[in-house]
Structures are given as structure tokens and as C-alpha cells.
Amino acid sequence: MTHSVSPALRCAAALAALIIAPPPSALAAPVGERAPVRRPHIRPHVRPLYLRPRPRFHARRYVRKPAPSIPARLVGVCGCPVAGALTFSANGTRLAAGSGSGLSLTSPGEVRVWDISTGHLVYTVPYTSPICAIAYSPVGDTLAASTVQSHVTVWSATTGMPLRTLAPPHSAGGVCLAFAPSGEVLATGGGDLAGSQFPGEARLWNVHTGASMQTLAHPHRSVVSVQFAPDGAECLVATRGLGTDENGALDLWDKYLQAHRWTRPTTGLVGAALVDGGASVASLHSEAAGKSYVLHVRLWNGKSGVAQNSYRVPMGGWAISPNGKLLACTGDDRKSIAVRDARTGRFLHKLTCDSAPSSLTLAFSNDGRLLAGGAQDGTVLLWTLK
């Protein structure tokens, strides 16, 4: 059976073959010429993916910047071998240094006061025994100094003339000092430095009359630090056990040493200070780390006494700024002084010096911009913090 195709279908098939099939010229190139390459049609406003430039990835190097190094400036030299105590005046224009030959009761001592801007020695006050502590009044009119024989003298900060000597404030040993913000009350903390069994105590004195106002006895402890809060409402007393007993305590009292706020037992306590305007309390402890010792800094809530955080720094001299924001201590390399954040221990500045950093006595100015260091050879150094 034969099928017939309609003329209409034949015409449609022929037309489709002409449209789809390429012309003979596109399939065969003339002799001696290359066949043209058919390229896809590209719209001018669209760039295909393979034509876009590849992004360049640069390896960023995270290089730790070197610590800012601040050199020391020599302020002066004490006549005695050891610069044992340092303090700045309230306005930061003068620096007082107390010195003496260690804990010997018979060796002489002295207090020297320098003008920081000029470096000139203003005056010298001689003593018959080494200086243990020295403190400027926040008002700036008086200066108090204590010796290892527990003698406390208050004298004019302007002229260096003695005003009064407090009655033997404590039974034995060195005395730590702290003025109240008003400058009218002086707190002293006594304790034995040689390890005998004399009890320690904290006392309040009227600076103008020299009368004893309050006594806080610690029969089995030595008072190593006293400090008033910036508003003068509270007083911090840090104690340590006598002899080989390292058990001590942190005690927060009211400004009259009558109402007790809280207490926290401690071991190996070497000092304490108020931080952040009294919002926190920092205590420093001597702690064994292998064959050496480190300084363990602990933070406590100033209102409740609850432990907050802690960190460790190399053992050596230390100081906390009056505003409680900075801590100066021996650097990790043990060849410099490191300035850290007192709350977190974060490193801030590196201070260089020729003396051994671990043996320096350190003190901040009231604004925290100056740091003084007293070396064992009697030299007094000064750093200006950035």
C-alpha cells in the first residue's frame, strides 16, 4: 500500500531544512583559508563569569607592636643606701623620699624633698633611724614620716619644720601611714618587722592636736597597710600573722574604726589597696611558684567583700595609683617595670631602668601620670606615663 504525502507537507519540510541547515559556505572554507569559528552571542551589558577578574586575596600579617618603652629620669640621690619610702605631694610638684640602712635601729635615716620640675633639692630632714613610711596630706600642708622604732613625726610640708611628734603609737616595728581625705586625721598601722610576738594595731590620730582618737588592736597580727576611701567614709586595714604565721585578713571599717563592714581571711598578704574609688579592694599575696615566688593579685567587691577575679605578676616592688586604676610591678622580662590595669592585669606600658626592678620602691602621683622608683643604691627615678 502506497502512502502519498500532500504537497503542503513537502513544502514545510523543505522550508525547515533550509532554515536549520547552515549554508555551504559556513561548512566548507575556501582553499587556503581557515574556517571561521562560531562564537556565542554576548550581550554588551552582561559579562560572563569566566571573563570577570578574579578577586585578589592579600594575606594580612598580624604583627604584634612592640611595647611602648619609657625611660627613667634621675631625680636625685639619697644620702643613705636605701630609698625605702616615696610619696608625691597632692599637686604632684614635689617628691619626698625616705631612706635608711634596712631595719637596723641604730643606723641613721633621712627624708629628702625634691622639686620635680627643676630637680632641685628643697630640704632634708635627718632622722636617727631608718624611715619606714612617708605620706603627704591630701591638703598639702603637712607631711608625716615613721621610722622602724615606731616614731611618727608630723611636720610642715612647705618649710620642713617639725610640728609635733605623736606619742609612741605602737609597741614595736615599722608603721604604715595614711591621711584621711580631709587631712585632719592620720591613720597608722603598727606591727613587728622582725617576727617577734609584739601585737599589731591600727590607730587614728588628730593631726592638729596629736591626740589619739581610736585604737584597733590585733593581738596576733601585724598591720601591713591602712588606707582611707576617696570619700573618707571607710578605712581598709590589712593584717598578716606574726612570725612564721602567714594567716592574715582584710578588714573594712568605717572611718572611725568602730563599725565593721566585712572581713576576709588571707595568707601571705603583703599589701592591699582600694580600687576604682573604693568599689573594689585589691589584695597582694606572696605565693610560691616552683622554686620562686609570684605576686598574686586578688580583687574583692568593696561593698560585700565577694571575690571577683585574680591574676599573677612577677614578684618584686609594686604600687597602685591613688585612683586605683593602675598597678606598677616588675615586668615579665624581670628587667623592666610594667604598668598594668589594676582590675584586669592587662599590660599597658613598659618602663626601663638600670636598677633591678624587683628591688625598687614604687609610688604613683595622685593623677597617675608620674611614677617614682627608689633603688637600693639611693637613687630616685621618675617616669612620665603617656
Side-chain angles (χ1 to χ4, degrees):
M1 183 177 181
T2 303
H3 297 281
S4 60
V5 181
S6 63
L9 292 177
R10 291 178 181 178
C11 293
L15 182 60
L18 291 175
I19 295 176
I20 296 175
S25 60
L27 296 177
V31 179
E33 296 184 7
R34 297 182 61 183
V37 179
R38 297 187 62 191
R39 300 183 181 276
H41 176 69
I42 301 175
R43 289 178 293 178
H45 62 279
V46 177
R47 300 186 67 183
L49 182 61
Y50 60 85
L51 295 179
R52 295 177 185 175
R54 294 183 178 180
R56 297 180 180 179
F57 297 95
H58 298 280
R60 181 178 298 178
R61 296 181 179 180
Y62 293 93
V63 180
R64 179 177 296 179
K65 295 182 179 179
S69 180
I70 303 176
R73 176 169 67 92
L74 178 65
V75 176
V77 180
C78 293
C80 300
V82 179
L86 294 170
T87 184
F88 285 89
S89 61
N91 55 11
T93 59
R94 291 186 176 184
L95 174 65
S99 60
S101 300
L103 303 179
S104 175
L105 301 180
T106 58
S107 61
E110 66 178 12
V111 174
R112 292 193 176 191
V113 178
W114 287 275
D115 186 284
I116 295 178
S117 60
T118 62
H120 294 161
L121 180 65
V122 181
Y123 53 81
T124 301
V125 179
Y127 278 81
T128 58
S129 58
I131 303 300
C132 186
I134 188 170
Y136 259 106
S137 168
V139 182
D141 56 346
T142 56
L143 183 64
S146 65
T147 67
V148 296
Q149 294 180 343
S150 299
H151 296 158
V152 178
T153 305
V154 179
W155 31 286
S156 171
T158 305
T159 63
M161 298 298 296
L163 300 177
R164 62 192 55 85
T165 299
L166 303 182
H170 304 284
S171 55
V175 178
C176 50
L177 305 172
F179 276 96
S182 62
E184 299 178 354
V185 178
L186 176 67
T188 63
D192 185 48
L193 300 178
S196 64
Q197 297 303 315
F198 289 102
E201 56 189 9
R203 286 193 179 185
L204 299 182
W205 304 83
N206 187 308
V207 177
H208 301 294
T209 63
S212 177
M213 302 169 54
Q214 178 69 14
T215 301
L216 181 65
H218 292 279
H220 306 290
R221 296 174 184 173
S222 172
V223 179
V224 299
S225 177
V226 289
Q227 184 183 1
F228 284 95
D231 58 359
E234 296 171 328
C235 182
L236 177 67
V237 179
T239 58
R240 180 172 177 166
L242 295 175
T244 59
D245 183 13
E246 294 187 352
N247 294 326
L250 285 175
D251 292 278
L252 190 67
W253 299 80
D254 70 333
K255 61 180 179 181
Y256 302 110
L257 297 181
Q258 294 178 349
H260 192 243
R261 305 290 193 227
W262 51 262
T263 182
R264 290 294 178 270
T266 60
T267 57
L269 188 68
V270 297
L274 296 170
V275 179
D276 287 347
S280 301
V281 175
S283 61
L284 297 96
H285 310 258
S286 175
E287 186 177 277
K291 297 182 179 180
S292 61
Y293 285 83
V294 296
L295 205 59
H296 190 182
V297 184
R298 298 177 181 174
L299 277 298
W300 312 79
N301 186 286
K303 299 301 180 182
S304 61
V306 177
Q308 294 178 329
N309 63 313
S310 65
Y311 56 91
R312 290 171 175 81
V313 296
M315 192 67 184
W318 62 274
I320 295 181
S321 60
N323 58 12
K325 294 183 179 181
L326 301 177
L327 168 68
C329 59
T330 304
D332 293 334
D333 56 0
R334 300 187 183 275
K335 298 180 181 180
S336 60
I337 298 296
V339 178
R340 302 176 180 270
D341 187 296
R343 286 191 54 84
T344 63
R346 182 173 61 90
F347 176 82
L348 299 177
H349 301 290
K350 178 182 179 181
L351 312 180
T352 59
C353 60
D354 296 332
S355 304
S358 59
S359 62
L360 291 180
T361 301
L362 302 174
F364 277 100
S365 61
N366 285 348
D367 57 4
R369 295 183 178 181
L370 299 175
L371 178 67
Q376 289 186 351
D377 59 358
T379 57
V380 179
L381 308 175
L382 185 69
W383 293 271
T384 301
L385 305 182
K386 298 180 181 179

